[in-house]
Amino acid sequence: MLNKTTLLATSAVLALAISTPAFAQVDEVITTATKRQQTLQETPVAVTVTPADVIEKSRIQDIKDLQSVVPALRVNQLQNSQNTNFVIRGFGNGANNAGIEPSVGVFVDGVYRSRSAAQISDLPILDRVEVLRGPQSTLFGKNASAGVISVVTAKPKFEQQGYIEGGISNFNGYTAKGYYTNAIDDKAAFSIGGGINKRDGYFDQAVSGVEENNSRDRANLRGQFLYEASDATTARIIMDYSTIDENCCGTANFQNLGAGAVVAGLGGQVTNGDTFSYINFQNKESENTVDDYGISLEINHDMGWANLTSITAFRGNEATFDSDADFGTVELLRGVDSDQEIDTLTQELRLTSTTDGPLQWMVGGYIFSEDVQANSGITYGSGLRRFIEAGLTDALQPGNLPALFAALGGASPLLTGIETSAGNAAGSSFASGTDINEFFTQDNLALSVFGTVDYDVTDRFTVTLGGNYTQDEKEVTGFTINNDQYSNIDLNTNPAVGVFTNQAIMGAYGDPSNPIFQGWAALVAPNLPAPLTGAPLNATTISFLPGGLGNPALAPFVANVQGSVVTGLAGTQFQPQFLSFPNSVENGESDDSKFTYTVRGAYEVNDNLNVYASYATGFKSSSWNLSRDSRPFFSDFPALSGAGLLPNNYIFAPNATDLNNFQNGRNSGTRFANPEEAMVVELGAKMRFERGALNIALFDQTITDFQSNVFLGTGFGLANSGEQNTKGLEFDGTWSPTDSLDLTLAGIYMDAKYEDFVETGIAINPDLPAVGANQLDLTGEDVAGVSPLSLIGSATYTNELANGWEYYLRGSYQYESNVQVSEPIPTIAGPQPEREINSLDLSAGLDFGNDLELQIWARNVTEDEYITTYFAVPAQAGIVNGYPSEPRTYGVNLRKNF
């Protein structure tokens, strides 16, 4: 169906373009997507350019708002302000794990921003934003396997210009911005701009005294100095600082089953039954702070036969986060926190030919050096111990929670029995204040050499060859301080606990008057041996048998308890001991190299139509799992993997110095993901018509060894997901039927599938076959979250009143067809949740003719409600939450230009 549709559409528009003999002049859109300044219609790559006036009129306030004007782009806001995931054509990753660089590269004035925490900023004045689809390493030098977002700000002017602006909006929001540029002398100019952006949160809190979620509190300052030493040489210095201090991000409850009953029995609440009530049931604010800063020096020198460009940059990013990650009013977790610091130094040197002739070329080199320190922690709350005990017991005695909570009375007989049997102090398991802290470092050095050659075979036909060679080295360390004694108990082989033969534990549950025991007795009664038939099952009666619970006659009972209880207990060992690395087997190093290339042919059919065909490859180096679920691969256990044993049943001893020194318990997993490689075949056309233009592209894009980063409840499983493929058609059209009216329509139709993807529920482990109860084979399935059809249309009407005042009216509509939101979540009882987007933005402006402008705006006028991402709530099986869309926002702004 896709092939037929795209073939017919392509044939129709090509025939129309070829048959159109002339066109009226339309506004030319300038882009530097190929590192050369060209018009958009001349550029033979798939790129969307959003100019500054559209950004202003659409009230786009940061990069994540771009998805309302670029259909191939999807931006997901996750659990805090610094975690934003960019997706182009269904490909993208990188949020929530400091060890992963995003597949979509973000550049601001030619400087690479390596993490999403550095990508959210209110820029005082823009020139344009370019979104390039497909791998771009031959032009940008740095990892960009899925695409690039390139932000270009305005340079300082040699004449006085500027503005001051203030605005108010709903949720008690207000903004203030200012910008000023002027000449210092005939060779130097400067600019300075900044602003603040604040509002209350739109997520109310059910717990009094806790501030609203999804507030906004941001400030930025940016300065530039431009020096034109001569007609041939210019230098530009840019310094910027931005800060975020917010309470983010509120979640909606999609399903409240399973553990939800236990939470309710403990007097807690996780939902009010309305997914889009925008009410949080948390007893703690989520604190987010981000300080992002940098300085760059760009030098351009015209050598006559070529332009030399040098961009030197340093960037620093410090981000902290602390939240109530149990998403309920019972204090299961006191907090989950992170403290991340990233320092990045980059150097790009590029030489671009300027001489006339059929051969044009560009060659460059790129150095990337980065230091990452990522510390995180989790602290148990006052309600966790009782919650664990209640949940475990309820699993053995379903449907009797009132009696269960009455019997517990705040005590934990099961956990107490385990503790004393293992030699731990009573009450030490899941004690309030227990914390686990992780400490990671990563040093990354990457070197790239890249270039392109354009050769005009004829006046109309140009062949382009591009290449990039990258060497990427990383050195990583990781260790933890783990105060969780319970997760270090060996439930399987400890003679006192392993097969539940301990008299203290049985005594705790051996009182026939105890309602908890009654459930146990009913569970095991069919398996009781003759000497105990009809007798109360407790430590006294069992002691009559030779060997007590070790008597062979009780083997069926022991096996029953082993299967139903020990397995459940093992699942509550959330924080197994961590094997520090480097160690005797893992050196904590990766060294990747790859040559990627682009081959393209572009043909100018006539003055109206340019067509092109290209094949390109891309590459992203190994990424390391810098989370508490970073575990050695199962294949690193030679004695175990050689014996064909399953993983998830082994834990490293706290003092392990070798990967074969382990205790039964758990855990293997993933330590890193191998490089991902991209490939795209693309056919495109750039057309101009009477009063309009149309760009289309057919593409077939694949990423192999896609670096999948899946939340596992306490940390992240990072591994290669095999192969993901997206085929599609995208278009971007403009038409001005009159001088006053501009219409746009852009869209993308995609068929995104996993060609090879096995997801493992406990840990994504590429060493395992696609079997096992904890695995999910998604091979051949559609990629979740990627809508088959996305459309964005806009209409802008500009005119003049009788008194000379100018005004504009603008409307923009965003549509995304229905799609399953997330990868299948096994604990969802019914159908997996889906999403469809129908969102309308409106704005209007009035220029009073004296440099005074008024704007009114509204985003998501239709109050469209949808969930961007779903996740299973940590340690609370059956509870599923998600991040809902932003409600309707609106406001008014007044600007004075000078």
Side-chain angles (χ1 to χ4, degrees):
M1 178 179 178
L2 176 63
N3 293 335
K4 291 180 180 179
T5 302
T6 54
L7 180 60
L8 289 172
T10 305
S11 300
V13 294
L14 289 179
L16 179 60
I18 294 173
S19 63
T20 304
F23 61 91
Q25 183 66 37
V26 294
D27 291 339
E28 298 285 9
V29 177
I30 302 300
T31 175
T32 54
T34 60
K35 297 297 184 180
R36 298 177 185 274
Q37 184 166 299
Q38 296 175 293
T39 67
L40 180 61
Q41 300 308 115
E42 295 172 332
T43 305
V45 297
V47 55
T48 299
V49 180
T50 306
D53 69 318
V54 173
I55 291 172
E56 289 291 335
K57 290 177 179 177
S58 302
R59 203 60 192 172
I60 294 174
Q61 300 190 62
D62 56 36
I63 292 178
K64 74 182 182 68
D65 290 335
L66 278 177
Q67 61 186 328
S68 65
V69 293
V70 182
L73 176 67
R74 178 101 202 127
V75 185
N76 294 323
Q77 178 72 60
L78 301 176
Q79 71 187 75
N80 52 56
S81 296
Q82 63 260 34
N83 282 330
T84 303
N85 196 31
F86 298 97
V87 178
I88 292 179
R89 289 178 174 172
F91 300 99
N93 58 18
N96 277 330
N97 195 329
I100 310 176
E101 294 180 41
S103 296
V104 175
V106 174
F107 294 78
V108 179
D109 290 322
V111 177
Y112 179 59
R113 305 289 184 99
S114 65
R115 297 298 188 279
S116 58
Q119 296 165 0
I120 303 173
S121 179
D122 296 315
L123 298 170
I125 186 166
L126 291 172
D127 183 77
R128 64 188 181 275
V129 178
E130 303 173 352
V131 178
L132 292 81
R133 281 92 74 183
Q136 303 294 332
S137 57
T138 61
L139 291 171
F140 288 85
K142 191 58 183 116
N143 297 337
S145 58
V148 160
I149 300 173
S150 178
V151 180
V152 182
T153 66
K155 294 180 180 180
K157 305 295 184 181
F158 281 86
E159 58 183 14
Q160 177 176 280
Q161 294 181 17
Y163 70 85
I164 54 174
E165 178 184 295
I168 58 174
S169 61
N170 58 333
F171 302 111
N172 295 318
Y174 63 91
T175 60
K177 298 175 64 175
Y179 177 79
Y180 181 78
T181 182
N182 205 347
I184 299 175
D185 55 33
D186 60 351
K187 291 182 177 294
F190 76 97
S191 67
I192 186 169
I196 58 174
N197 186 349
K198 295 190 176 185
R199 74 171 183 212
D200 293 342
Y202 55 79
F203 252 94
D204 292 330
Q205 293 284 5
V207 177
S208 61
V210 181
E211 291 187 5
E212 303 95 340
N213 270 100
N214 294 72
S215 62
R216 178 158 288 185
D217 188 350
R218 302 179 179 183
N220 67 87
L221 182 65
R222 182 180 178 87
Q224 297 191 46
F225 173 76
L226 176 65
Y227 180 62
E228 295 184 348
S230 67
D231 292 340
T233 305
T234 63
R236 180 165 66 142
I237 297 175
I238 303 175
M239 295 175 287
D240 67 277
Y241 172 79
S242 64
T243 182
I244 296 174
D245 186 2
E246 299 174 345
N247 182 19
C248 184
C249 297
T251 62
N253 181 258
F254 173 76
Q255 176 180 282
N256 186 19
L257 301 175
V262 181
V263 171
L266 294 173
Q269 192 174 11
V270 297
T271 180
N272 64 350
D274 183 356
T275 300
F276 292 100
S277 64
Y278 293 97
I279 296 177
N280 259 338
F281 294 87
Q282 296 176 283
N283 52 359
K284 177 181 179 178
E285 297 170 10
S286 295
E287 300 175 2
N288 303 254
T289 66
V290 182
D291 291 312
D292 188 68
Y293 46 89
I295 181 171
S296 66
L297 169 64
E298 178 180 345
I299 300 175
N300 288 281
H301 177 64
D302 187 351
M303 305 170 66
W305 53 277
N307 283 329
L308 177 65
T309 300
S310 171
I311 303 177
T312 307
F314 168 80
R315 297 214 59 82
N317 186 271
E318 301 173 9
T320 63
F321 171 63
D322 187 12
S323 75
D324 180 12
D326 55 49
F327 303 98
T329 57
V330 176
E331 192 189 63
L332 306 181
L333 298 177
R334 184 173 297 174
V336 173
D337 62 89
S338 67
D339 187 350
Q340 180 177 296
E341 182 175 344
I342 301 175
D343 293 329
T344 308
L345 179 65
T346 59
Q347 172 65 57
E348 180 178 0
L349 195 64
R350 191 171 67 245
L351 196 63
T352 307
S353 66
T354 57
T355 56
D356 294 331
L359 182 66
Q360 299 293 321
W361 50 268
M362 182 271 288
V363 64
Y366 188 84
I367 300 174
F368 174 87
S369 177
E370 183 171 79
D371 295 328
V372 177
Q373 294 187 13
N375 307 329
S376 59
I378 181 171
T379 305
Y380 294 167
S382 59
L384 182 60
R385 182 179 175 90
R386 194 161 179 244
F387 170 80
I388 295 295
E389 178 79 13
L392 286 171
T393 310
D394 180 52
L396 297 172
Q397 189 190 17
N400 197 14
L401 281 174
L404 169 65
F405 290 120
L408 282 174
S412 298
L414 176 57
L415 294 177
T416 301
I418 295 174
E419 290 160 346
T420 55
S421 300
N424 295 342
S428 60
S429 299
F430 303 107
S432 181
T434 299
D435 55 11
I436 301 95
N437 295 286
E438 303 84 32
F439 304 89
F440 296 97
T441 67
Q442 176 175 286
D443 296 330
N444 183 194
L445 177 64
L447 307 175
S448 297
V449 178
F450 60 97
T452 60
V453 174
D454 298 322
Y455 182 71
D456 297 331
V457 180
T458 70
D459 291 342
R460 292 184 177 273
F461 181 52
T462 301
V463 174
T464 300
L465 300 177
N468 175 301
Y469 178 79
T470 295
Q471 182 83 26
D472 196 308
E473 300 176 358
K474 294 178 181 177
E475 296 182 1
V476 186
T477 70
F479 72 94
T480 66
I481 298 176
N482 190 340
N483 296 314
D484 178 23
Q485 297 184 28
Y486 176 79
S487 284
N488 301 326
I489 296 175
D490 181 1
L491 296 175
N492 286 317
T493 61
N494 188 317
V497 182
V499 290
F500 235 68
T501 58
N502 181 263
Q503 298 294 329
I505 297 175
M506 286 305 302
Y509 287 91
D511 182 359
S513 64
N514 190 320
I516 299 175
F517 169 76
Q518 295 171 10
W520 280 54
L523 177 71
V524 302
N527 297 320
L528 290 179
L532 296 179
T533 302
L537 182 62
N538 55 36
T540 302
T541 56
I542 291 175
S543 67
F544 288 122
L545 292 174
L549 279 177
N551 190 293
L554 285 180
F557 167 73
V558 170
N560 199 325
V561 175
Q562 168 85 15
S564 59
V565 179
V566 176
T567 300
L569 290 172
T572 62
Q573 291 186 307
F574 308 118
Q575 304 295 331
Q577 276 293 342
F578 184 93
L579 181 67
S580 299
F581 68 98
N583 50 55
S584 60
V585 175
E586 298 176 298
N587 61 15
E589 298 178 1
S590 60
D591 187 352
D592 305 309
S593 61
K594 186 70 177 179
F595 177 75
T596 57
Y597 59 91
T598 297
V599 179
R600 182 172 58 241
Y603 183 68
E604 184 181 351
V605 179
N606 56 37
D607 292 340
N608 294 349
L609 174 63
N610 296 322
V611 297
Y612 67 91
S614 66
Y615 178 87
T617 64
F619 162 77
K620 190 173 77 163
S621 62
S622 297
S623 290
W624 286 78
N625 189 358
L626 306 189
S627 84
R628 62 180 59 92
D629 273 337
S630 177
R631 307 283 170 188
F633 296 103
F634 185 54
S635 59
D636 289 325
F637 296 81
L640 302 181
S641 58
L645 300 178
L646 292 175
N648 310 321
N649 295 321
Y650 301 94
I651 183 174
F652 299 109
N655 61 348
T657 58
D658 187 275
L659 291 177
N660 286 316
N661 182 7
F662 60 88
Q663 295 176 338
N664 277 343
R666 60 180 178 124
N667 188 337
S668 64
T670 61
R671 189 74 85 186
F672 60 88
N674 291 318
E676 65 181 34
E677 299 181 10
M679 176 277 294
V680 62
V681 177
E682 190 168 290
L683 302 176
K686 304 292 183 80
M687 304 165 234
R688 289 184 288 182
F689 303 104
E690 185 79 19
R691 307 186 68 92
L694 175 65
N695 306 322
I696 64 173
L698 289 168
F699 63 90
D700 185 341
Q701 186 168 335
T702 299
I703 290 185
T704 57
D705 289 329
F706 182 74
Q707 294 173 356
S708 176
N709 185 48
V710 177
F711 182 59
L712 304 178
T714 55
F716 294 89
L718 169 65
N720 301 106
S721 64
E723 183 175 304
Q724 179 180 333
N725 174 264
T726 302
K727 298 179 178 70
L729 165 70
E730 56 192 10
F731 66 90
D732 186 349
T734 62
W735 182 43
S736 300
T738 70
D739 292 339
S740 299
L741 180 61
D742 295 320
L743 304 176
T744 70
L745 179 63
I748 183 169
Y749 178 51
M750 292 185 291
D751 181 14
K753 291 189 180 297
Y754 290 120
E755 300 296 333
D756 179 15
F757 185 17
V758 176
E759 183 178 6
T760 304
I762 297 178
I764 297 178
N765 196 327
D767 300 302
L768 293 177
V771 295
N774 65 329
Q775 292 187 320
L776 185 63
D777 188 350
L778 298 177
T779 301
E781 298 295 324
D782 293 338
V783 178
V786 181
S787 294
L789 178 63
S790 299
L791 297 172
I792 295 174
S794 73
T796 305
Y797 182 76
T798 306
N799 212 329
E800 187 175 299
L801 298 174
N803 59 2
W805 294 357
E806 295 183 355
Y807 67 94
Y808 76 86
L809 304 172
R810 178 179 171 83
S812 177
Y813 185 78
Q814 179 184 5
Y815 168 78
E816 290 189 15
S817 60
N818 194 55
V819 67
Q820 183 174 301
V821 177
S822 305
E823 305 303 347
I825 299 176
T827 57
I828 291 181
Q832 297 291 318
E834 298 179 338
R835 174 186 70 223
E836 180 179 305
I837 298 177
N838 292 274
S839 181
L840 175 65
D841 299 336
L842 297 175
S843 62
L846 180 62
D847 186 340
F848 294 97
N850 57 355
D851 294 325
L852 190 65
E853 298 177 1
L854 178 70
Q855 181 191 49
I856 58 175
W857 57 272
R859 296 184 66 86
N860 192 15
V861 175
T862 54
E863 288 198 287
D864 192 29
E865 296 177 338
Y866 56 90
I867 299 294
T868 62
T869 306
Y870 284 96
F871 62 94
V873 174
Q876 299 173 68
I879 303 180
V880 178
N881 283 4
Y883 297 103
S885 57
E886 189 171 286
R888 179 171 54 213
T889 56
Y890 52 87
V892 58
N893 291 76
L894 187 65
R895 172 181 286 200
K896 173 67 176 177
N897 297 305
F898 52 84

